[in-house]
Amino acid sequence: MAGLSDEVDFHGGLFTARPHQHIANINKTDLVVVPSLNHNYEQAIEANGELIDWLGSQYRNGACVASVCTGAYLLAAAGLLDGKSCSTHWSAADKLKQLYPKINLQTDQTITDEQGIYTNGGAYSFLNLILYLVEKYYDRETAIFCAKVFQIDMDRQSQSAFIIFKGQRLHSDELIKKAQTVLEDKLEEKLSIEDLASRFAIGRRNFDRRFIKATGNTPAEYAQRVRVEAAKRAFETSRKTINQVMYEVGYADLKAFREVFRKITGLSPLDYRNRYNRDLA
């Protein structure tokens, strides 16, 4: 373990980390694993300039670099993720994209692997990243052994089923924010995107352009995500049938609903309900 100081206290001294040595003493290494940050991302970036510079120099010197969860912010600050695929915890993705728009953010992925840079979706899925690296640096047999000892499901590739969509509102386009509110409040209405654009007296093409710039999604994609999130909550908390939930969130075609639900969550509506609603067990 390497760091910038001899000792660091966390959570009011609840536990303490004591790095084995200062990063300045490490001239060359094969792999650097960056842990997750607290939620003060910009403060953490500002406080770790020396570490960020060191990460960049290690990568240029041939080291591979992996980040756990929000540790991706330090990789991004070092410029290591520009033009590359990257994952982070779904709750931190919008802020990361806002700060570093050159990143090809893959929010649904548990692990990305590109040009010696590994990133991870976060939380306990860091265990999947560690298994991935064990297999990469040792072999499949060793990774399987570790998975069995620590009882970790191997080869989990998506964090889609865990994402809670809260809407992308880290932007300053007030018209688009109003449009987002309409989409979120009128789930059951068959509101076309053309009608929505007309409601705000804006042309469809310009509306789409502004919506994508502000949220990263087209209006249609945003509406899908809002409806699927409402469906997920219904499956988690009620005994309603698939058809009942489908109609409540604005779908009339069961096949289309299933396809959109699986595309966004990685699970079918039935599988999702069976996984998260214990009252149906």
Side-chain angles (χ1 to χ4, degrees):
M1 189 191 305
L4 297 174
S5 56
D6 294 332
E7 183 175 293
V8 183
D9 289 327
F10 295 92
H11 300 290
L14 183 63
F15 64 95
T16 300
R18 297 184 178 88
H20 298 99
Q21 56 184 304
H22 195 281
I23 59 171
N25 297 326
I26 302 174
N27 295 319
K28 184 174 176 58
T29 188
D30 298 306
L31 173 67
V32 181
V33 181
V34 180
S36 60
L37 309 178
N38 60 30
H39 290 179
N40 298 315
Y41 309 124
E42 291 172 276
Q43 179 182 340
I45 291 167
E46 184 177 345
N48 286 284
E50 184 179 354
L51 178 58
I52 290 167
D53 291 342
W54 181 81
L55 287 172
S57 66
Q58 288 298 317
Y59 182 68
R60 290 189 294 272
N61 200 30
C64 292
V65 182
S67 65
V68 172
C69 194
T70 53
Y73 277 80
L74 295 188
L75 273 61
L80 301 184
L81 298 179
D82 288 354
K84 295 187 182 72
S85 296
C86 162
S87 185
T88 190
H89 194 281
W90 55 262
S91 66
D94 288 346
K95 185 66 174 179
L96 181 64
K97 184 66 174 177
Q98 180 193 44
L99 291 175
Y100 302 101
K102 294 181 181 180
I103 294 173
N104 180 19
L105 193 59
Q106 304 290 317
T107 310
D108 62 320
Q109 295 298 303
T110 301
I111 297 167
T112 65
D113 175 347
E114 188 171 347
Q115 298 177 33
I117 300 287
Y118 311 100
T119 64
N120 163 244
Y124 285 103
S125 71
F126 83 88
L127 293 169
N128 297 97
L129 173 65
I130 298 304
L131 285 181
Y132 184 85
L133 294 174
V134 167
E135 181 174 353
K136 193 98 175 179
Y137 281 83
Y138 292 89
D139 52 41
R140 180 75 174 179
E141 183 180 3
T142 305
I144 291 173
F145 174 78
C146 293
K148 289 181 177 180
V149 170
F150 292 101
Q151 302 181 36
I152 306 165
D153 289 331
M154 288 194 68
D155 300 325
R156 185 157 65 82
Q157 299 178 347
S158 176
Q159 60 173 327
S160 295
F162 304 103
I163 294 173
I164 301 173
F165 183 67
K166 296 183 178 180
Q168 299 123 322
R169 294 181 176 271
L170 297 178
H171 62 84
S172 57
D173 193 326
E174 295 302 322
L175 183 146
I176 297 303
K177 285 182 179 179
K178 292 177 182 178
Q180 288 174 263
T181 299
V182 173
L183 290 172
E184 292 160 7
D185 292 345
K186 306 293 183 181
L187 290 177
E188 72 288 349
E189 290 188 14
K190 302 296 187 292
L191 182 66
S192 71
I193 304 304
E194 286 80 4
D195 291 340
L196 184 61
S198 297
R199 180 179 296 198
F200 293 100
I202 183 173
R204 172 63 191 274
R205 182 176 296 180
N206 190 32
F207 180 67
D208 284 357
R209 180 186 60 78
R210 285 175 62 174
F211 205 102
I212 293 169
K213 181 180 179 181
T215 70
N217 290 128
T218 67
E221 289 168 343
Y222 193 90
Q224 288 177 344
R225 294 189 67 179
V226 167
R227 288 173 174 172
V228 167
E229 191 60 37
K232 286 163 59 181
R233 289 195 296 272
F235 289 140
E236 293 163 6
T237 59
S238 75
R239 300 181 65 87
K240 294 175 181 176
T241 67
I242 306 296
N243 282 355
Q244 285 175 312
V245 172
M246 175 188 74
Y247 289 124
E248 286 182 0
V249 300
Y251 284 91
D253 185 311
L254 183 57
K255 181 181 178 183
F257 175 62
R258 283 175 174 160
E259 288 177 351
V260 170
F261 195 94
R262 184 181 290 277
K263 174 185 173 184
I264 291 175
T265 69
L267 299 171
S268 70
L270 182 60
D271 288 341
Y272 188 92
R273 187 182 66 169
N274 289 343
R275 176 181 290 190
Y276 290 108
N277 194 325
R278 66 181 181 182
D279 290 338
L280 299 174

